[in-house]
């Protein structure tokens, strides 16, 4: 069993060893452009379905983190130790601002996944539905139905703790996570300044360190 001390030592090495192994242009700030390897595509060592809380994620083989839990994500997102960041994505139309959770001084990898999950659990608004074209509406309904089918399989009537199941009213709602369609698996964070310039409204909110979220299909 890995101890917290071993965890901290290994993660310190991961941040810096990972960045120095990359082949990058000499004029690029490597450490600032790379997230912790836990959240760096394409080799992020975890599987996480955004329809569920981060407590459900699992680490892939091989060691050292195979079989470890979500608590190992309580490490700074980057060596810059950011206090606030912004997430955007070509997969959804929202900008999600993230700060440190209670008890943390900087944004951690767990903060990223927890806040992203919470944001995507919000019900879809009438305005958001109105902006969706016919194909997107069909995709939304299909994604909701798939999500509800999985919930039924996981939390069927035989569940001894019915208070842990979503209410019937909430089950029928379209959620923001349904906007992702079948691309609900977190793949990682990347820097894409060109996309950020096109995506964020000129003269809008305070300019924060911005990361682009990548997803893949399940």
């Amino acid at each position: 069993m890995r101890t917290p001390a071993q965890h901290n030592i290994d993660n310190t090495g991961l941040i810096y060893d990972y960045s120095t192994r990359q082949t990058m242009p000499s004029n690029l700030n490597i450490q600032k452009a790379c997230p912790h390897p836990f959240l760096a595509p394409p080799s992020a060592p975890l599987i996480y379905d955004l329809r569920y809380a981060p407590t459900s994620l699992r680490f892939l083989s091989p060691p050292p983190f195979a079989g470890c839990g979500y608590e190992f994500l309580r490490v700074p997102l980057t060596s810059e130790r950011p206090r606030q960041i912004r997430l955007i994505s070509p997969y959804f139309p929202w900008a999600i601002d993230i700060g440190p959770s209670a008890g943390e001084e900087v944004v951690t990898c767990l903060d990223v996944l927890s806040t992203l999950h919470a944001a995507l659990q919000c019900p879809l608004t009438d305005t958001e539905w109105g902006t969706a074209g016919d194909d997107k509406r069909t995709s939304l309904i299909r994604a909701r139905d798939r999500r509800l089918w999985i919930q039924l399989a996981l939390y069927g009537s035989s569940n001894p703790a019915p208070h842990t199941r979503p209410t019937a009213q909430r089950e029928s709602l379209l959620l923001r996570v349904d906007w992702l369609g079948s691309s609900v698996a977190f793949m990682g964070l990347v820097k894409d300044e060109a996309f950020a310039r096109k995506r964020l409204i000129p003269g809008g909110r305070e300019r924060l360190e911005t990361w682009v979220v990548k997803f893949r299909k399940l």
Side-chain angles (χ1 to χ4, degrees):
M1 182 70 182
R2 290 167 52 79
T3 66
Q6 290 172 320
H7 168 60
N8 293 338
I9 292 171
D10 289 346
N11 274 288
T12 300
L14 273 171
I15 291 174
Y16 296 102
D17 291 345
Y18 177 86
S19 62
T20 55
R21 285 199 301 267
Q22 306 307 299
T23 301
M24 295 284 189
S26 59
N27 62 345
L28 182 65
N29 185 330
I30 292 176
Q31 291 185 9
K32 190 171 183 178
C34 293
H36 190 284
F38 282 161
L39 304 188
S43 55
L46 54 84
I47 295 178
Y48 177 43
D49 183 339
L50 265 299
R51 292 172 294 191
Y52 308 102
T55 52
S56 67
L57 67 81
R58 66 184 189 274
F59 284 88
L60 300 171
S61 298
F65 298 104
C68 294
Y70 70 96
E71 64 275 3
F72 279 80
L73 294 174
R74 290 192 175 101
V75 291
L77 175 62
T78 71
S79 60
E80 298 291 313
R81 303 175 65 84
R83 290 184 173 272
Q84 195 168 19
I85 66 167
R86 178 167 293 153
L87 299 184
I88 57 176
S89 179
Y91 291 82
F92 58 66
W94 309 285
I96 301 171
D97 291 352
I98 300 177
S101 57
E104 301 288 353
E105 295 183 355
V106 300
V107 175
T108 67
C109 294
L110 184 58
D111 290 331
V112 170
L113 297 187
S114 297
T115 306
L116 180 59
H117 167 73
L120 293 177
Q121 291 303 301
C122 293
L124 204 69
T125 66
D126 182 70
T127 299
E128 290 162 350
W129 175 260
T131 62
D134 290 342
D135 289 345
K136 173 56 72 174
R137 291 182 181 183
T138 300
S139 172
L140 281 163
I141 293 173
R142 186 185 301 117
R144 180 200 59 184
D145 292 346
R146 185 186 305 115
R147 173 171 52 82
L148 297 183
W149 184 88
I150 294 173
Q151 286 180 355
L152 180 63
L154 292 176
Y155 306 112
S157 57
S158 61
N159 190 330
H163 65 277
T164 64
R165 300 196 301 267
T167 64
Q169 182 179 8
R170 180 169 177 80
E171 283 183 350
S172 65
L173 292 174
L174 287 165
L175 304 181
R176 284 182 168 183
V177 71
D178 297 325
W179 197 277
L180 301 177
S182 59
S183 298
V184 291
F186 178 85
M187 187 175 176
L189 302 180
V190 298
K191 284 286 190 179
D192 189 338
E193 296 297 337
F195 175 73
R197 283 194 298 270
K198 291 189 296 183
R199 166 62 186 81
L200 298 173
I201 186 170
R205 289 178 290 178
E206 176 190 0
R207 180 71 172 173
L208 300 176
E209 180 180 333
T210 301
W211 292 89
V212 178
V213 191
K214 297 290 187 180
F215 300 92
R216 61 181 176 83
K217 292 184 177 182
L218 279 181

